[in-house]
Amino acid sequence: MRAQNCDCKVLSHRAVSDTIRLLDVKWEDMAHAPKAGQFYMLRCWRQDEAPLLSRPISVHEWSPDTGVVSFLYEVRGEGTHKLAALLPGDTLNLTGPAGNGWPVDQLLGKKIALVGGGIGTAPLLQLAKELAAAGQKPDLFCGFRDMPYRLEAFAPYCAKVEVATDSGNFGHHGLVTELYDPADYDVICCCGPTPMMKAATKLSLEKGTEILVSLENKMACGIGACLGCTCHTKNKGAISVCKQGPVLKGEDAYG
Ligand code: FES
């Protein structure tokens, strides 16, 4: 399905922590509804204004009843600083939904662990919601530098929520990969910083458990037209993360 380009209205926008924001927008194009794990290119500045590139941000939550798409993002660069200034009623340009998303149909009937790191937990919420709606609540394991966020959003859709922090101020003091044994699951769905996804992939492959990772590459067009997001994978050669990803098998991404 081709990505659409639409101006959308900001419905609400709030700070979840010092650097994390939750942005709700109205997506009117119901014929092109987003799937869990897909993303949009967001832009609220003119084409001739810096930064040059729109910001790729994954779908955190989507309601087909109301058409509201939620984005959970970290304010850490020029583009996200501009997004952070948006107020309810403002207009935001969205291109998407883009990417392949999580293969929810293939996950049904399997025992699933969701493994997230920091803002990488964002695309796991819609996945948890869709699995729970199919009668199959996953377990969630997430790691944060210090205090966690959005656990309350995950709780209704997960059988178990466990947290690790680098600081030790909340949950287990250590790595998220110390919270679970991949051998207890059929599939691990993972999103977070690259070192964490590589470690999770290694652990899963050692135990013979399938793992899917959602890559967070820099993107330019977001629709497979520029090769700006090319990633050299071990088993599939060069791929466009925005088109053939962002969700890949762990062994294809890292081996
Ligand atoms: Fe342009 Fe992927 S960002 S091809």
Side-chain angles (χ1 to χ4, degrees):
M1 190 183 292
R2 282 187 59 190
Q4 306 298 300
N5 181 272
C6 300
D7 286 335
C8 300
K9 185 151 285 196
V10 174
L11 299 176
S12 69
H13 197 187
R14 70 177 174 90
V16 170
S17 75
D18 286 356
T19 57
I20 305 298
R21 300 289 182 273
L22 182 62
L23 171 67
D24 288 348
V25 305
K26 179 85 171 168
W27 178 252
E28 306 276 2
D29 187 351
M30 295 306 219
H32 297 89
K35 295 192 301 182
Q38 288 191 298
F39 66 93
Y40 285 86
M41 302 297 289
L42 276 62
R43 191 177 188 100
C44 62
W45 55 96
R46 292 196 322 259
Q47 290 298 331
D48 59 351
E49 258 181 55
L52 179 64
L53 305 178
S54 305
R55 306 308 308 162
I57 299 184
S58 62
V59 172
H60 181 49
E61 204 170 0
W62 152 250
S63 167
D65 298 331
T66 60
V68 176
V69 183
S70 301
F71 298 100
L72 187 72
Y73 69 96
E74 185 167 22
V75 183
R76 62 180 170 196
E78 194 177 5
T80 49
H81 271 96
K82 287 191 170 174
L83 291 177
L86 284 167
L87 296 170
D90 285 348
T91 297
L92 170 68
N93 185 265
L94 262 56
T95 301
N100 57 357
W102 302 104
V104 177
D105 290 350
Q106 295 167 32
L107 298 175
L108 298 180
K110 296 181 177 170
K111 184 144 195 254
I112 312 288
L114 309 183
V115 178
I119 195 62
T121 53
L124 298 176
L125 178 60
Q126 183 61 27
L127 175 58
K129 280 181 74 172
E130 292 185 17
L131 290 171
Q136 190 184 327
K137 289 186 175 182
D139 290 343
L140 173 70
F141 303 99
C142 43
F144 295 89
R145 277 195 292 270
D146 189 24
M147 294 307 285
Y149 42 80
R150 295 291 286 161
L151 298 185
E152 77 290 352
F154 280 93
Y157 309 112
C158 297
K160 173 159 78 174
V161 175
E162 291 189 11
V163 177
T165 54
D166 296 343
S167 66
N169 284 335
F170 192 100
H172 170 69
H173 187 185
L175 302 173
V176 65
T177 45
E178 293 164 356
L179 292 176
Y180 65 96
D181 182 347
D184 294 335
Y185 297 93
D186 298 316
V187 185
I188 308 292
C189 296
C190 180
C191 186
T194 300
M196 170 251 180
M197 291 201 288
K198 282 186 175 174
T201 297
K202 183 167 180 288
L203 199 62
S204 288
L205 297 182
E206 282 169 3
K207 298 288 180 93
T209 299
E210 183 182 353
I211 179 166
L212 299 172
V213 295
S214 180
L215 302 186
E216 284 193 325
N217 279 42
K218 281 218 162 65
M219 293 184 195
C221 69
I223 54 170
C226 73
L227 305 182
C229 62
T230 299
C231 167
H232 295 276
T233 63
K234 183 155 181 175
N235 296 329
K236 291 201 163 169
I239 63 152
S240 294
V241 173
C242 70
K243 196 94 177 162
Q244 291 152 284
V247 177
L248 297 177
K249 287 187 174 183
E251 65 265 36
D252 289 338
Y254 305 124

